[in-house]
Amino acid sequence: MRESDWSSDVCSSDLFPSHDRLWCMGGVVSLLIVNLLGVYIPLLIRQGIDELQENFDLDRVVYYAGITILLGSVMWVIRMISRMLIFGVGRKVEGQLKQQIFDHLLTLDPSYFARNTIGDIINRATSDVDNIRRLVGFAVLSLANTCFAYAFTLPVMFLINAKLSFLAILVYPVMLGIVQLFSNKLRVQQQDVQEELSKLSELIQEDLSGISLIKIYAQEDNERSAFAGLNQNLLTYNLELARTRNFLFPLLEGLASVSLLVLLGFGSTAIAQGTISVGDFIALTLYVERLVFPTALLGFTITAYQRGEVSIDRIEAILRAEPKIKDAQQTLPLLPSEVKGWIKADRLTFTYPEAATPALDQVSFSIAPGQTVAIVGPIGSGKSTLANALVRLIEVEPDQLFLDNVDILKLPLDALRQTIAYVPQDSFLFSTAIRNNIRYGIPDCEQPRVETVAKTAQIHPEIINFPQQYETIVGERGITLSGGQRQRTALARALLMDSPILILDDALSSVDNQTATAILQSLSTATHRKTVIFITHQLSAVTTADRILVMDKGRIVQAGNHEDLIQKPGLYQDLWEQHQLAAVLQSQLTVESGVGK
Ligand code: ADP
Ligand code: MG
């Protein structure tokens, strides 16, 4: 065990605020007092025994017994205080650490969560934090106790009788050697256990999120055996760890009692020879016994320590992750209410990490305030990537994207995101009242405004038909909305922000064409003077846009209004013809099914 650096690792790490360290110190000081008393009491007993052996006196017996009981009680109370202080700090550290991890997670970019699974993160934020609590609580207590016990007890023992003490502790270096030998192994095995635990959490989290898919594809058996495999691995690693511990701990305990045996053997001979007094012998026995417990506990202490260390590493890996998307060192002030709404892209290029081709390739365009611009193009042409770039959910190079002629990288992130209301492709709702979902961006918004935006998003009539109306809980525990209802709720949520720029990323894909077109039209009246960018595959809805950008393979291949674009041969004309064909087929189908009735 790296005893020398536990304090620098644990107590002065950034993970622990200074006042906690103070409480921790308080606990350690109490332990110090406990140990001083623990050294003094046997001395007192020795004195008593030697004195009473010479000259028995009942008053003196009462005196010695009384003072021993008194000091013993004081020691007991202070030991209790030290435990409360140190375990209390453990609990506090646990709480603060969880908060710190959560706060930090909130600062990280979406790309971090694409690289790290939620199950693993949750495991680190719970099970690993728990290990750190044990480290700060139990391990600190026991380690400090062991150090003090050795530091105070050994010198006094040697003063009483150097030879006997030496013989009694002869076995301790062997114990420390064994501990050293095993500490690496324990650490590696502990790491394996934590990692398997993470994999198991990942699987549970992912499978429960995708439970419908598992059922649709009837993959229950496969998932069950995948879980069984991981569970078996965890069991194997846990058993390996337990084997090491079960070998080590009894060995240490056994060796610790050897010292007592040695003392009994040599001590009784020494009394018989008259080299030590009975008082000396009893004091020595008490001291050796004081050492047996912390020494035997060394195994547990090391495990708690190793566990804590592994967990500190795993948590620090989260805390060390730097958000890539953050405010520039010097940002320019931006008042969302004063934004005009110019958007310009200048040879905007973006490649996802590990992707072979860029998702955005030299994209250039300029959008004037108040314009309604549609972006169309095949799946995978880069439309969502462009929207994510505008709100900086992905990190673009400097001097490629501008808002009111200022590089967006120079603007404060929160102000930029307040300026741009963005409805992403997947309309995520929280499992809370539908009202709270709509006013997510302005939690104290009044009902009339909530209803106004719900009306613009054409979701209001459906909400008031729900049993609890705006109080209806959506998501996990409440009513589950249809895709179209979710999308319109998400749209209402964005409209409430009343931002100068609105981006809809295929945000009405599950809403029928007619309603979608009606919503977009009412948007252009409701949001006059707003810049609106809407990405869509519903071509019927784009005909009224001021301008249409046509994307293909990360490039803008055509731009113009609907009338111009349908005249020119190109992607838009093809898409429009497909759309017309689909519309005709649709109407024929409707007619046929009507005739068939
Ligand atoms: P669209 O919205 O037009 O359908 P996207 O912008 O979502 O297209 O995707 C553009 C390209 O980038 C696609 O080839 C897609 O596979 C890729 N892509 C999208 N998101 C990611 C991501 N998070 N990591 C790597 N590649 C991505
Ligand atoms: Mg998309």
Side-chain angles (χ1 to χ4, degrees):
M1 182 174 45
R2 296 162 22 217
E3 269 185 55
S4 55
D5 58 22
W6 72 268
S7 56
S8 63
D9 260 22
V10 178
C11 272
S12 64
S13 156
D14 293 345
L15 299 177
F16 306 106
S18 59
H19 63 275
D20 280 347
R21 250 175 279 159
L22 216 64
W23 283 101
C24 204
M25 294 279 280
V28 172
V29 169
S30 316
L31 273 181
L32 189 98
I33 300 171
V34 165
N35 276 284
L36 286 175
L37 282 173
V39 170
Y40 179 65
I41 292 172
L43 284 180
L44 197 72
I45 293 173
R46 174 181 79 151
Q47 191 188 333
I49 288 174
D50 285 348
E51 185 189 316
L52 291 167
Q53 225 179 10
E54 302 256 303
N55 181 2
F56 186 80
D57 175 355
L58 198 61
D59 282 355
R60 296 299 287 165
V61 173
V62 173
Y63 165 76
Y64 278 114
I67 199 160
T68 307
I69 289 170
L70 180 74
L71 286 179
S73 312
V74 171
M75 189 167 129
W76 180 74
V77 170
I78 300 179
R79 189 180 282 284
M80 216 166 62
I81 292 173
S82 76
R83 290 176 73 92
M84 283 190 317
L85 284 175
I86 295 179
F87 286 147
V89 169
R91 285 287 175 197
K92 270 172 69 190
V93 164
E94 178 189 17
Q96 284 157 352
L97 205 52
K98 281 184 179 155
Q99 187 71 45
Q100 200 181 344
I101 294 172
F102 185 74
D103 292 353
H104 186 70
L105 286 174
L106 285 182
T107 68
L108 295 177
D109 318 323
S111 65
Y112 179 83
F113 301 94
R115 278 180 279 118
N116 297 276
T117 61
I118 295 173
D120 179 48
I121 295 172
I122 291 176
N123 197 47
R124 286 170 198 242
T126 51
S127 153
D128 283 303
V129 171
D130 213 39
N131 288 342
I132 291 181
R133 171 178 61 78
R134 275 194 214 108
L135 166 68
V136 178
F138 171 74
V140 164
L141 185 95
S142 144
L143 211 54
N145 198 41
T146 310
C147 291
F148 288 148
Y150 275 80
F152 299 147
T153 312
L154 286 181
V156 179
M157 282 174 71
F158 272 83
L159 279 180
I160 294 177
N161 189 304
K163 190 179 146 210
L164 270 182
S165 305
F166 177 74
L167 289 172
I169 64 159
L170 211 54
V171 69
Y172 287 178
V174 179
M175 291 169 71
L176 289 179
I178 292 175
V179 164
Q180 183 71 38
L181 214 64
F182 276 85
S183 82
N184 236 347
K185 190 168 178 174
L186 277 173
R187 190 184 158 84
V188 171
Q189 289 181 334
Q190 185 61 49
Q191 209 153 8
D192 290 341
V193 167
Q194 286 305 111
E195 272 159 26
E196 280 311 305
L197 210 57
S198 269
K199 284 188 201 158
L200 208 65
S201 314
E202 273 165 47
L203 187 89
I204 297 174
Q205 199 271 336
E206 197 164 64
D207 276 12
L208 294 186
S209 309
I211 190 77
S212 326
L213 212 65
I214 293 174
K215 291 186 186 297
I216 292 168
Y217 285 88
Q219 286 302 302
E220 285 94 337
D221 283 344
N222 261 343
E223 294 299 336
R224 195 175 300 132
S225 58
F227 185 87
L230 286 183
N231 208 8
Q232 180 61 44
N233 282 352
L234 179 62
L235 179 66
T236 311
Y237 285 128
N238 261 327
L239 285 178
E240 271 173 22
L241 182 63
R243 253 199 300 280
T244 313
R245 290 168 60 176
N246 289 342
F247 177 76
L248 179 63
F249 295 179
L251 185 68
L252 289 178
E253 276 168 46
L255 284 175
S257 355
V258 166
S259 60
L260 205 59
L261 280 181
V262 169
L263 186 67
L264 282 176
F266 287 98
S268 45
T269 326
I271 294 180
Q273 292 169 347
T275 36
I276 58 167
S277 71
V278 176
D280 286 345
F281 175 71
I282 288 178
L284 279 180
T285 316
L286 289 175
Y287 284 137
V288 167
E289 256 187 300
R290 269 184 56 77
L291 290 184
V292 166
F293 183 67
T295 313
L297 211 67
L298 221 50
F300 285 105
T301 313
I302 298 156
T303 327
Y305 180 78
Q306 300 282 24
R307 251 192 215 162
E309 242 195 354
V310 167
S311 293
I312 284 183
D313 288 348
R314 284 164 53 85
I315 287 171
E316 276 186 339
I318 295 185
L319 295 180
R320 262 199 312 269
E322 282 276 331
K324 290 201 189 68
I325 303 175
K326 54 186 176 196
D327 281 338
Q329 291 206 320
Q330 279 185 327
T331 53
L332 299 170
L334 174 78
L335 263 182
S337 57
E338 286 174 11
V339 169
K340 295 193 187 67
W342 284 97
I343 298 172
K344 195 175 89 181
D346 184 14
R347 283 162 290 168
L348 170 65
T349 301
F350 178 83
T351 310
Y352 284 104
E354 288 159 39
T357 51
L360 293 174
D361 190 3
Q362 308 262 345
V363 169
S364 297
F365 59 81
S366 171
I367 297 173
Q371 270 194 334
T372 298
V373 174
I375 301 179
V376 299
I379 291 169
S381 54
K383 306 181 295 293
S384 297
T385 308
L386 177 59
N388 285 333
L390 283 168
V391 287
R392 284 189 70 192
L393 284 176
I394 55 172
E395 195 58 329
V396 296
E397 298 286 316
D399 293 326
Q400 296 195 337
L401 266 181
F402 302 86
L403 173 70
D404 285 358
N405 270 326
V406 181
D407 184 355
I408 62 162
L409 300 193
K410 293 193 181 133
L411 299 173
L413 256 184
D414 52 353
L416 174 75
R417 289 176 181 159
Q418 274 164 26
T419 305
I420 304 179
Y422 174 37
V423 189
Q425 213 164 346
D426 52 340
S427 33
F428 179 85
L429 299 181
F430 292 96
S431 48
T432 172
I434 199 159
R435 183 210 316 277
N436 293 340
N437 267 295
I438 294 177
R439 60 181 187 183
Y440 184 68
I442 310 174
D444 55 358
C445 181
E446 300 287 340
Q447 179 65 12
R449 225 174 109 51
V450 172
E451 283 186 21
T452 309
V453 292
K455 281 176 189 156
T456 313
Q458 305 220 8
I459 183 72
H460 175 75
E462 279 151 86
I463 295 177
I464 53 171
N465 271 333
F466 292 147
Q468 255 98 39
Q469 306 200 332
Y470 278 87
E471 290 303 323
T472 310
I473 306 282
V474 298
E476 282 173 42
R477 282 164 295 120
I479 195 167
T480 309
L481 304 183
S482 75
Q485 287 168 336
R486 299 180 83 87
Q487 287 190 331
R488 280 171 291 150
T489 307
L491 174 63
R493 175 172 62 192
L495 289 177
L496 188 87
M497 299 311 291
D498 200 22
S499 309
I501 299 168
L502 177 66
I503 302 179
L504 309 180
D505 183 3
D506 231 350
L508 298 171
S509 57
S510 306
V511 179
D512 64 86
N513 276 346
Q514 241 176 341
T515 315
T517 312
I519 291 175
L520 285 172
Q521 261 157 14
S522 71
L523 273 189
S524 59
T525 47
T527 62
H528 62 104
R529 288 190 46 246
K530 277 198 176 125
T531 308
V532 180
I533 299 177
F534 69 99
I535 296 166
T536 182
H537 63 263
Q538 289 151 309
L539 285 204
S540 52
V542 309
T543 53
T544 55
D546 296 323
R547 211 143 61 91
I548 301 165
L549 304 177
V550 187
M551 290 193 70
D552 190 24
K553 300 196 181 81
R555 291 170 164 269
I556 294 190
V557 289
Q558 285 184 298
N561 64 25
H562 175 71
E563 270 65 42
D564 295 342
L565 286 174
I566 47 169
Q567 305 300 328
K568 296 181 197 148
L571 183 56
Y572 190 80
Q573 209 180 46
D574 298 346
L575 290 173
W576 182 251
E577 276 164 13
Q578 279 169 24
H579 169 76
Q580 294 293 88
L581 206 62
V584 171
L585 280 175
Q586 183 73 36
S587 60
Q588 271 179 0
L589 274 176
T590 323
V591 171
E592 272 166 27
S593 60
V595 168
K597 266 184 196 161

